Amino acid sequence: MEKYTIIKLNKRFEEYAYQQDGIEYWLARELQELLEYTQWRNFENVIAKAKIACEKSGNAISDHFADVSKKVQLGSGAIKEIPDFMLTRYACYLIAQNGDPKKEQIAFAQSYFAIQTRKQELLEERIQLMERLQAREKLAATETELSKNIYERGVDNSGFARIRSKGDWAMFGGHNTSDMKRKLGIKANRPLADFLPTITITAKQLATEITNFNVKKNDLKGERNITNEHIKNNDDVRSLLGKSGIKPEELPAEEDIKKLERRVKSLDKQIAKKNLKGKNDTDNEQ
């Protein structure tokens, strides 16, 4: 496909895009025109195949193919409503994948929507990874604050480790830190929190934050008093999780935080490359 054709098609596809509530979409009747399908019934067959592919991929059809209608004027002057669809980028990608690749417009659309869809997938994956990374960083900061806080009240590093393990004992229904490491297959020299799901990390952080607050507020001193406070707070947060049917000790281990950090860096490079490609494509149009 010639460079001029690619630039022209790219511009046309962008011009036909709409925005609603921050979501980009295309109208099926207009995509039919872009892909040069002369008969709506033939294009409807392609849409039907795309819907099946959408469902098989585990996505809700209604999230990507929204039924709408549009009014058109007939030759007689009468107004008639005809069916249409609002299509997400992913829906357009599936339609292109089920179209005739021998058609120039289809071949372009397959690459165009594949790139855009993959970029969106990368962004969504990065956001999910960052949520867990940020939760872990917040827990580490809160635990560091607690360590400093209780050191001023007569508790050394060994005492802090015991307090934290007792907190885990309450959070994980009678399993202390060492128990949970064995249960999840985590090496003894690695932090338990590096392998916990975001919900559990957040729960531990909340309990630790409450302990910090109450230790200062009530001027608690000594390992026993602070341990009792930390057990109570972890037990309270565990009870809150239980109301939603969540038992922290039954949740499986997740990917090592260290590997997660490397994955985020890798994703950042991929996203940067796609952003650079998009910028270069725009520059070439000008």
Side-chain angles (χ1 to χ4, degrees):
M1 192 180 298
E2 294 182 358
K3 183 177 179 179
Y4 171 76
T5 302
I6 294 172
I7 293 172
K8 182 182 70 174
L9 289 172
N10 185 72
K11 185 177 181 181
R12 286 200 73 203
F13 274 74
E14 290 297 325
E15 287 174 346
Y16 276 73
Y18 297 87
Q19 286 276 349
Q20 181 172 308
D21 298 328
I23 298 175
E24 197 171 25
Y25 70 91
W26 280 258
L27 291 173
R29 294 278 179 174
E30 294 180 355
L31 186 63
Q32 173 195 350
E33 177 185 333
L34 284 171
L35 300 181
E36 293 195 347
Y37 277 83
T38 55
Q39 298 291 329
W40 171 249
R41 64 175 177 272
N42 293 335
F43 194 59
E44 270 192 309
N45 291 334
V46 179
I47 292 175
K49 293 177 183 177
K51 285 182 176 181
I52 293 171
C54 180
E55 189 172 36
K56 285 184 177 179
S57 68
N59 291 287
I61 293 174
S62 58
D63 288 345
H64 298 279
F65 300 79
D67 291 316
V68 293
S69 61
K70 64 184 298 185
K71 294 181 180 180
V72 295
Q73 187 171 2
L74 303 178
S76 62
I79 302 296
K80 178 183 178 183
E81 283 197 354
I82 57 174
D84 203 348
F85 297 97
M86 289 171 60
L87 307 168
T88 65
R89 276 189 179 270
Y90 182 59
C92 293
Y93 164 73
L94 293 176
I95 288 171
Q97 289 299 103
N98 282 278
D100 182 359
K102 294 190 292 294
K103 296 175 66 173
E104 192 172 57
Q105 288 77 5
I106 293 289
F108 170 81
Q110 287 179 346
S111 297
Y112 173 81
F113 287 116
I115 291 171
Q116 297 295 341
T117 300
R118 180 58 182 149
K119 181 179 174 181
Q120 179 68 23
E121 289 173 352
L122 291 174
L123 288 170
E124 289 174 358
E125 182 180 358
R126 187 186 189 281
I127 289 169
Q128 291 175 351
L129 297 180
M130 284 304 299
E131 285 176 352
R132 185 161 169 247
L133 281 175
Q134 289 168 356
R136 179 67 182 97
E137 290 170 2
K138 195 171 182 179
L139 172 60
T142 306
E143 288 184 334
T144 298
E145 183 184 352
L146 178 60
S147 176
K148 293 177 180 177
N149 195 10
I150 64 177
Y151 182 77
E152 297 170 357
R153 290 168 166 78
V155 181
D156 59 14
N157 288 336
S158 297
F160 172 64
R162 288 190 292 270
I163 290 171
R164 187 166 55 180
S165 186
K166 284 290 187 179
D168 284 345
W169 175 84
M171 177 65 71
F172 294 104
H175 301 277
N176 64 22
T177 307
S178 297
D179 294 336
M180 286 305 300
K181 285 184 180 181
R182 284 191 292 272
K183 182 179 175 66
L184 298 176
I186 300 169
K187 292 181 180 179
N189 64 342
R190 290 300 309 280
L192 172 63
D194 281 2
F195 298 86
L196 297 177
T198 304
I199 183 67
T200 312
I201 296 173
T202 303
K204 280 171 60 66
Q205 193 277 326
L206 175 59
T208 306
E209 192 71 65
I210 296 171
T211 300
N212 255 325
F213 179 83
N214 284 338
V215 165
K216 293 177 182 177
K217 177 187 174 185
N218 301 319
D219 195 23
L220 299 178
K221 292 182 173 66
E223 184 176 333
R224 177 178 294 180
N225 290 331
I226 296 172
T227 297
N228 290 338
E229 174 67 26
H230 200 44
I231 288 174
K232 176 185 178 301
N233 296 328
N234 276 273
D235 192 52
D236 287 346
V237 175
R238 175 184 169 80
S239 296
L240 181 62
L241 293 175
K243 292 179 180 179
S244 296
I246 300 171
K247 293 184 178 181
E249 68 275 12
E250 294 182 357
L251 300 178
E254 293 203 2
E255 185 178 11
D256 184 352
I257 282 287
K258 299 300 180 185
K259 292 182 179 179
L260 212 63
E261 290 172 344
R262 293 194 289 271
R263 281 182 61 200
V264 168
K265 290 179 181 178
S266 176
L267 283 172
D268 285 346
K269 289 180 181 178
Q270 293 181 58
I271 292 170
K273 285 181 181 178
K274 291 186 180 297
N275 283 333
L276 180 60
K277 183 182 184 305
K279 181 180 183 301
N280 289 338
D281 289 343
T282 302
D283 290 344
N284 288 335
E285 290 178 23
Q286 298 173 350

